Amino acid sequence: MGEITNLGLEQDGIDLSQFYAVFFEEARENLANMEAMLVDIDVAQPTEEELNAIFRVAHSIKGGAATFGFSDVAALTHELETLLDRLRRHELSLKRPMVDLLLEAGDVVKAQLARYQGGGDESPETGPLIERIRALAAGADTAQGASAGPRCLDIRIGPLKDDSAAAGLVELFRDIPSLGSIEALDDRQPSAEGIRRFKVTTDSPDSELLELFSFHIAREQVRIEAFDPAAARRSGGEGDGYGFFVDPGTLPAAVAEKELAASAQSEAARRSDARSRNAPAGALESSTLRVSVEKVDQLINLVGELVITQAMLSQQAKDLDAVQFSSLLSGVGDLERSSRHLQETVMSIRMIPMSFVFNRFPRMIRDLESKLGKQIELKLVGEATELDKGLIEKIIDPLTHLVRNSADHGIETPAKRLAAGKTPHGTITLSAAHQGGSILIEVRDDGQGLRRERIAEKARERGFPMREDMSDAEVWALIWEPGFSTADQVSEVSGRGVGMDVVRKNIAALNGTVELDAAEGYGTRITVRLPLTLAIMDGMSIGVGGETYILPLASVVESFQVQPGMVHTVGATGRVVKVRDEFMPVIALDEVFGVPRPEGRGPAEIMMIVEAEGKRVAALVDDLLGQHQVVVKNLETNYRRVSDISGATILGDGRVALIIDTANLVRRARH
C-alpha cells in the first residue's frame, strides 16, 4: 500500500492507517455488490430491500472515508446517499439514467479509493459528476453530461519494449473512423522510460477505449487524462506513472433511453430470475476472517515441506521390520493420513468460488446490449464451484474475450432472431463444474453458430492450407489462429482478429485446454478445462534408465507389459502400437530426455498410455515406482525452462524428480 497523506491519519492518539487494508477490502466488496444489484435491478419495480441495500453501501463507504479523511470520496458518496435516500423513500421513481449514473459514480469511487491505496498523486475531478447527481436528486428527467461533443484526451502508454503497441493504436483509429483521431505528442519517439504520448479526440468513453487498447497493450500500462495544452508544451511525453486514473468527465455518459428493449413484463421476468440467483447482500458476513494472501502462501509452502518430510520418513520406514517396529510404522501411517488431510484443508483456503469471476459479466453484458442493439440474457451456472486463487486471476481475461465474442459474433439482433424463428433475446450461458481433478468452464450461446463455408473462404484468403475432406473440428480450429477473423467489418467490440489466439495461449500456460464446438444456426460452445490447482498434484513415479520422473496421474490412462511383435515400425524411425483397435505413436522417454541405458539392461518393457488435449500416445518406461501426491516447484523460477518438463518436486529420499509436460509430449509424438 502506498503512502497516504491526509488529516485523518491519527485521531485521539490512534494511528488509523492500520485499518486501511480492512476498509479498502470492505469497500471493494461493497462496490461489487452494489454494481451487481444495479445491473440486476428491475427499473420498473425495484424492491425495498434492493434500494435499502444500495443505500447502505453508499452510507458505509461515506462513513469510512470520512473517518480516514478521504474527503473527496466522502463528498461524492454523500451526494449518492442523498439520491438513494430519496429513492428508497419513494420521493423519486427509479429510471434508467439513474442506474447508469450510479454505475458511473461507482467506477469513480473505485478510482478514488485506488488512488489512496496505490499512492497516486492525482485525484479524479468529480465536480461535473456531482452536479449531475444533484440534478437527478432534484427531480430532473435526465442527467446530461457536463460537456457535449468530442473530448480531447492525453493518453500515455508504457513502458514499452518496442513500438509495435503504439503503432497498433494508430492503426486502430485508422480502421475505426468513428473512434476519433489520434496525434503523437512525442515526435513518434518514446521517452527514456519507454513511454509514448498521444493526443486523442473522441466521443467514446474511457471504458471503450481501454477495451480496444487492451488488444495491443496491458490495461495497467495505459494512462488516460484530460488534455492540458499547457502541460503538453511543458512536457515532451515523460510519464510519472503507469496506472489508470479515471477522469469523471471522460467516463461513460448516461445512456439515452433509445436502445432496443423488451416490454416491461418480459424485462421484469428476466430480472426477477437474475435476482433469485443473486440475493442482495448489503453487509458482509461476520463469520469470516480476513487473512493476507502472503500468509496463506507461506502456510501452503510450510505444509508442502511437511509433506516432503513425511515422504522421507515413509521412505526410510518401509525397510524396517514390521513386527519389531509395528508401533513406529503405525505412527508413520497415521502421519501420512494426517498430512494428506492437512494438505487438502490448507489448499482449500486458496480456493475461491467462480462467482468471483462470473459476477463481473452481468455489467459487461448490460453495456454490450446497448452498444450492439441486442437483447442478451446471461445465465450463470455453478458459481459456487471453486478454483485456486492463482488460476482465478489468470482466467478472467480469457473468459472476458470469449463472452464478448459470443455477444458480438454469436448472438443475432432481435430482427434476425425473429426471422429465424427464435426468441428476440439471445442467451449466453456461463457454467463451471468439477470433473475429476479438473474444472470445466463452458461459454455457450444460442446464436448463429459458425459458418463452415465462411471460415474456409477466409482461410483460403489468408493462405492457410485447406483440404476438401477437413472435419468440422479442423475447420473450427482455424478460429484460434493469430489474426483470423470472419467479421465483415471492425466494430468497437471485436472483429479485428485478435484475442482468440491469446486466449488459447493463456489457457495452455495454465496447463489447461480449450475446445470449440458449433452448429450453424444453433450456437457455439467453448469448453475450457483447467487443473484445480498448480501447487499440488497426484503423480505417478516412473523409472527411466537410472532417473525418476513424475507423470501427472490425471494424464495416465493405463499401463501394460510390452509383448513381442506389439510395436510396429512406420517409415524410417516411427513406431506405433495398436491398443483396442486404435493405433497410437510410441515414444521412448529415455530417448526424449537423453537418459543413458544401464549396461546389460535391455529395452524398456513397460508401456504407459498417456492422454492430453484429447489425443493419446504410448510412452516406454522401465519401472512403475508408485503413486503419491507431489508438491510442484517452479523449475523456470529456480533454474531455467526445460523442454517437455513442466516443473519439479522433491522425492521422499531427498532427490529431485522432474514432472513431465504431457501435453507437450503428446504434441511432439503426434507431429
Side-chain angles (χ1 to χ4, degrees):
M1 184 169 60
E3 181 181 353
I4 302 175
T5 304
N6 61 68
L7 301 178
L9 282 175
E10 293 189 6
Q11 289 185 5
D12 300 327
I14 300 176
D15 182 9
L16 298 181
S17 62
Q18 60 183 308
F19 304 111
Y20 280 157
V22 175
F23 168 69
F24 287 133
E25 183 69 15
E26 289 184 348
R28 181 189 64 80
E29 293 182 3
N30 280 329
L31 287 170
N33 288 336
M34 183 181 78
E35 181 176 295
M37 288 184 285
L38 287 171
V39 169
D40 289 335
I41 198 168
D42 180 6
V43 177
Q45 296 177 334
T47 66
E48 294 282 346
E49 179 58 30
E50 286 174 325
L51 294 176
N52 285 325
I54 297 171
F55 172 83
R56 286 194 296 269
V57 170
H59 181 74
S60 174
I61 295 176
K62 171 191 168 183
T67 300
F68 293 118
F70 303 154
S71 56
D72 52 350
V73 179
L76 177 55
T77 49
H78 174 72
E79 300 299 335
L80 289 177
E81 193 180 42
T82 301
L83 173 60
L84 291 167
D85 187 50
R86 295 202 64 188
L87 286 171
R88 69 174 185 152
R89 293 175 184 271
H90 302 291
E91 297 175 4
L92 293 174
S93 297
L94 185 64
K95 299 178 181 179
R96 179 64 179 254
M98 292 180 181
V99 176
D100 294 333
L101 193 59
L102 289 170
L103 288 169
E104 180 181 341
D107 291 338
V108 176
V109 172
K110 290 178 187 176
Q112 290 176 320
L113 294 175
R115 181 181 73 88
Y116 285 114
Q117 188 177 19
D121 54 9
E122 296 187 22
S123 176
E125 172 57 45
T126 57
L129 179 63
I130 288 177
E131 290 301 320
R132 292 158 60 197
I133 296 173
R134 288 174 177 170
L136 280 186
D141 290 335
T142 57
Q144 299 296 334
S147 60
R151 305 173 294 127
C152 286
L153 303 176
D154 186 343
I155 296 182
R156 306 182 189 192
I157 62 172
L160 304 176
K161 294 182 179 179
D162 55 63
D163 204 39
S164 59
L169 296 192
V170 175
E171 181 184 352
L172 185 68
F173 280 81
R174 184 168 61 248
D175 290 344
I176 311 177
S178 61
L179 196 58
S181 62
I182 186 169
E183 174 187 350
L185 295 176
D186 50 14
D187 296 327
R188 296 181 174 83
Q189 295 296 326
S191 66
E193 295 81 11
I195 307 298
R196 288 296 310 272
R197 188 177 177 193
F198 297 94
K199 174 185 176 183
V200 169
T201 304
T202 182
D203 291 318
S204 300
D206 290 357
S207 57
E208 293 182 10
L209 294 177
L210 279 174
E211 287 290 349
L212 291 169
F213 291 175
S214 64
F215 287 121
H216 299 279
I217 189 170
R219 289 171 178 251
E220 57 269 18
Q221 291 184 292
V222 180
R223 177 174 174 177
I224 302 179
E225 300 173 337
F227 180 71
D228 182 357
R233 288 192 297 268
R234 291 194 303 269
S235 173
E238 291 80 358
D240 54 4
Y242 313 124
F244 168 50
F245 297 84
V246 178
D247 178 356
T250 68
L251 286 169
V255 179
E257 291 188 274
K258 62 182 180 181
E259 60 190 11
L260 186 59
S263 65
Q265 290 183 347
S266 63
E267 180 70 15
R270 290 169 57 194
R271 296 306 182 192
S272 64
D273 178 65
R275 287 201 301 274
S276 67
R277 296 191 309 269
N278 302 308
L284 299 177
E285 291 288 339
S286 59
S287 60
T288 59
L289 176 66
R290 296 181 183 276
V291 180
S292 68
V293 177
E294 290 77 12
K295 289 184 177 180
V296 175
D297 289 341
Q298 183 181 12
L299 179 61
I300 290 175
N301 287 334
L302 290 174
V303 171
E305 297 301 324
L306 175 64
V307 170
I308 293 172
T309 303
Q310 173 268 317
M312 291 181 178
L313 290 175
S314 298
Q315 181 82 10
Q316 297 296 324
K318 71 178 184 179
D319 296 328
L320 298 177
D321 183 85
V323 177
Q324 183 179 0
F325 298 98
S326 59
S327 297
L328 175 61
L329 293 176
S330 176
V332 170
D334 291 341
L335 175 62
E336 182 176 358
R337 286 189 295 272
S338 298
S339 297
R340 175 178 282 267
H341 181 66
L342 175 63
Q343 189 178 53
E344 292 173 351
T345 303
V346 171
M347 288 303 302
S348 69
I349 298 176
R350 272 187 62 94
M351 305 300 277
I352 297 178
M354 287 298 296
S355 58
F356 179 84
V357 178
F358 285 3
N359 287 345
R360 69 191 59 220
F361 291 117
R363 167 75 182 276
M364 187 181 79
I365 291 297
R366 179 184 185 274
D367 294 340
L368 290 176
E369 277 186 305
S370 301
K371 188 181 300 181
L372 300 172
K374 298 178 179 179
Q375 296 176 19
I376 306 174
E377 179 183 4
L378 178 65
K379 291 185 177 181
L380 304 179
V381 181
E383 299 103 311
T385 306
E386 293 185 331
L387 185 63
D388 186 271
K389 180 181 184 297
L391 291 170
I392 283 272
E393 294 170 344
K394 295 175 182 177
I395 197 61
I396 291 176
D397 283 345
L399 285 184
T400 300
H401 280 297
L402 296 179
V403 173
R404 287 176 66 88
N405 278 345
S406 288
D408 190 22
H409 295 304
I411 302 298
E412 311 97 325
T413 60
K416 289 184 178 180
R417 291 184 64 85
L418 288 172
K422 300 181 179 180
T423 58
H425 68 271
T427 302
I428 296 177
T429 303
L430 197 55
S431 66
H434 286 149
Q435 188 177 88
S438 304
I439 182 173
L440 290 184
I441 305 173
E442 283 191 355
V443 181
R444 302 194 304 271
D445 67 69
D446 63 350
Q448 59 189 350
L450 297 178
R451 295 169 52 193
R452 178 186 172 99
E453 294 77 10
R454 179 66 171 161
I455 295 175
E457 178 186 348
K458 283 287 185 179
R460 293 189 184 96
E461 291 177 4
R462 294 288 307 276
F464 289 103
M466 298 291 295
R467 306 190 318 271
E468 293 297 330
D469 61 342
M470 290 180 69
S471 65
D472 285 345
E474 291 175 314
V475 175
W476 305 153
L478 296 171
I479 295 294
W480 305 107
E481 294 297 328
F484 190 88
S485 175
T486 59
D488 294 322
Q489 59 183 4
V490 175
S491 70
E492 295 185 12
V493 178
S494 58
R496 293 184 54 79
V498 292
M500 295 300 280
D501 62 313
V502 177
V503 167
R504 185 172 63 172
K505 289 178 182 177
N506 289 348
I507 292 174
L510 302 176
N511 295 334
T513 60
V514 58
E515 299 175 359
L516 186 148
D517 190 21
E520 185 173 351
Y522 293 94
T524 304
R525 179 182 64 192
I526 297 177
T527 304
V528 177
R529 183 188 296 269
L530 293 170
L532 292 179
T533 178
L534 298 179
I536 292 176
M537 58 174 283
D538 286 314
M540 175 72 74
S541 298
I542 59 173
V544 179
E547 302 292 336
T548 301
Y549 292 87
I550 304 293
L551 272 173
L553 196 60
S555 300
V556 178
V557 178
E558 62 179 313
S559 61
F560 50 85
Q561 201 81 19
V562 179
Q563 301 298 329
M566 181 179 289
V567 178
H568 305 279
T569 302
V570 178
T573 58
R575 289 176 292 179
V576 297
V577 63
K578 186 177 182 180
V579 181
R580 297 184 183 87
D581 298 326
E582 178 186 358
F583 284 97
M584 57 189 70
V586 175
I587 185 169
L589 293 186
D590 57 345
E591 297 175 4
V592 172
F593 298 115
V595 179
R597 309 261 337 143
E599 292 186 11
R601 186 161 188 173
E605 298 179 349
I606 298 177
M607 188 169 288
M608 301 189 69
I609 305 302
V610 180
E611 183 177 23
E613 299 179 351
K615 298 179 175 60
R616 296 182 177 185
V617 300
L620 288 172
V621 302
D622 291 308
D623 302 291
L624 300 182
L625 303 179
Q627 169 189 338
H628 50 184
Q629 277 195 327
V630 296
V631 180
V632 180
K633 301 292 185 179
N634 190 312
L635 191 63
E636 191 171 352
T637 301
N638 298 291
Y639 176 52
R640 62 177 175 84
R641 184 171 181 81
V642 179
S643 177
D644 299 317
I645 297 297
S646 61
T649 190
I650 301 176
L651 300 175
D653 58 5
R655 292 185 300 149
V656 174
L658 300 179
I659 301 172
I660 296 175
D661 184 349
T662 53
N664 202 56
L665 194 69
V666 169
R667 286 193 293 267
R668 166 200 284 264
R670 301 190 72 93
H671 290 85

